[in-house]
Amino acid sequence: MEDHGPVLVSELRDLLGPDRDITLQPVIDLNTIEAVNSYEHPARIARRTLLRTHGDVFPHSTSRGTKRLDLDHPTPYQPDGPPGQTGDHNAAPLTRRHHRAKTHTGYQLHQLALAAYRWITPHGLCRIVTPHGTTTFEPIRGPDHTIIGEIYTDARLVDLDLVA
């Protein structure tokens, strides 16, 4: 039972009363990764992603829950690309407005882990988004100016256990 741990159906019936409908659902292991060979994120992967992220992963977003979220590919899907492009490792829930902003206005998104996302705005602002919130970071750049790491301004918001 969510937030209580495992219980027997008979115990649950005693707790809720005999006239309640009980729906049994499989346990979802959020420590595993699944990938598929299609563009669309299957419902099972979408559910796992939302359980990890708690909602929209756009910087400073307050949109929580599962309503009206698109599941975006942080690494763009390539129709003729390799198999397994769609999955837990490449899924970012965004509201339609945030999805359009990311796609059409120059935001850069990189999924660092199962529930950790690195954003760079069109103006060069750097953000890390995790289920704990949004924090700024200073990019560490390689010789070719690509980002090879981050220095976090508030490391309390970056949960290193989220690394895939």
Side-chain angles (χ1 to χ4, degrees):
M1 187 166 67
E2 195 166 327
D3 295 330
H4 292 0
V7 295
L8 298 172
V9 173
S10 59
E11 293 172 335
L12 192 57
R13 203 170 292 286
D14 290 342
L15 179 66
L16 299 175
D19 297 330
R20 294 286 201 157
D21 290 330
I22 298 172
T23 303
L24 295 176
Q25 296 180 343
V27 172
I28 300 172
D29 184 359
L30 298 180
N31 294 314
T32 61
I33 297 173
E34 186 177 343
V36 296
N37 298 329
S38 69
Y39 175 76
E40 294 292 327
H41 289 85
R44 67 187 182 276
I45 290 176
R47 178 76 176 136
R48 293 154 55 98
T49 300
L50 290 170
L51 286 170
R52 285 186 188 108
T53 62
H54 308 294
D56 188 357
V57 298
F58 195 80
H60 305 287
S61 175
T62 58
S63 297
R64 295 292 174 231
T66 60
K67 296 195 185 226
R68 299 185 183 207
L69 292 175
D70 295 334
L71 219 52
D72 182 54
H73 289 87
T75 301
Y77 182 84
Q78 300 170 359
D80 297 325
Q85 296 179 66
T86 300
D88 297 296
H89 65 289
N90 195 19
L94 299 167
T95 63
R96 181 64 48 96
R97 181 178 180 190
H98 291 154
H99 189 196
R100 287 182 179 151
K102 180 251 176 195
T103 304
H104 301 293
T105 62
Y107 280 85
Q108 297 173 40
L109 171 60
H110 179 74
Q111 185 170 353
L112 298 173
L114 293 176
Y117 302 86
R118 178 176 66 207
W119 290 86
I120 300 178
T121 72
H123 299 90
L125 301 174
C126 300
R127 303 290 184 261
I128 297 286
V129 177
T130 71
H132 304 291
T134 301
T135 190
T136 60
F137 73 92
E138 181 182 332
I140 302 171
R141 296 191 183 271
D144 62 354
H145 299 289
T146 59
I147 296 176
I148 58 173
E150 302 91 22
I151 299 173
Y152 305 116
T153 53
D154 189 353
R156 294 172 298 158
L157 295 177
V158 181
D159 186 350
L160 298 178
D161 291 335
L162 298 172
V163 176

